[in-house]
Amino acid sequence: MSTYHIKLEGDVLRVKFGTPANGDQIVRDAAARLDEMIAAEEFKGGRLLKVDGSASLAVGYLIAHKISHLYSAIAIFDPKIGRKGYKTFIVAISHTPAYKVGELIETDETQKEKPIVKVVLCGPPQSGKSCLREGLKQAICSIASAPYPYVITACPDGEGAWFSPSSKKRSRISKTT
């Protein structure tokens, strides 16, 4: 099963996270899928490619590197802008005066209104807030139809859920060297 899904539908590249994995595996899976699509000549190139879906920063760079030379411009969907109920894309790459970087492209494609749930976790240092947040995020990610949880973390005390994965990775690197 792939950790990242990519599908071309007309002039829209649909992207989304698959099974949970580390960023390096996600990038490898995305690269393999893009190479497969390029070899099958699925990308015909053209004036504009719109990218719709969630992507890590690393995958965004990968997509741009692999296919930006095939299109005059590439625009990225941003759910926070544009007319309510309709999808709007931001031009992020342009090789033509027909599209300016930062230009908004509104479409007639409807965007479902999703209920927004906001949760704030507060408490004293070392009380488990970051571990709870990470556990909730992993639980949500394990639900097939759940949206990807967007998390903003502020760790003024320097603690956070980053410590455990970092130490695991560090010990894995130490064992291989």
Side-chain angles (χ1 to χ4, degrees), residues 55-73:
S56 66
L57 187 59
V59 170
Y61 273 95
L62 174 72
I63 291 169
H65 172 72
K66 293 273 188 185
I67 61 175
S68 66
H69 63 283
L70 299 172
Y71 293 88
S72 297

Side-chain angles (χ1 to χ4, degrees), residues 76-97:
I76 311 300
F77 171 62
D78 187 334
K80 300 176 295 303
I81 61 172
R83 286 185 296 154
K84 188 173 184 165
Y86 294 93
K87 289 192 173 187
T88 300
F89 294 78
I90 303 170
V91 175
I93 297 172
S94 180
H95 305 293
T96 175

Side-chain angles (χ1 to χ4, degrees), residues 96-117:
T96 175
Y99 295 101
K100 292 181 177 30
V101 170
E103 178 181 345
L104 300 180
I105 299 173
E106 287 192 347
T107 67
D108 290 331
E109 184 180 355
T110 57
Q111 175 183 326
K112 290 188 282 184
E113 290 292 319
K114 297 178 183 175
I116 297 174
V117 177

Side-chain angles (χ1 to χ4, degrees), residues 39-58:
E41 298 181 348
E42 290 184 46
F43 294 108
K44 304 295 183 204
R47 290 184 41 146
L48 175 67
L49 177 70
K50 296 181 291 253
V51 181
D52 184 357
S54 54
S56 66
L57 187 59

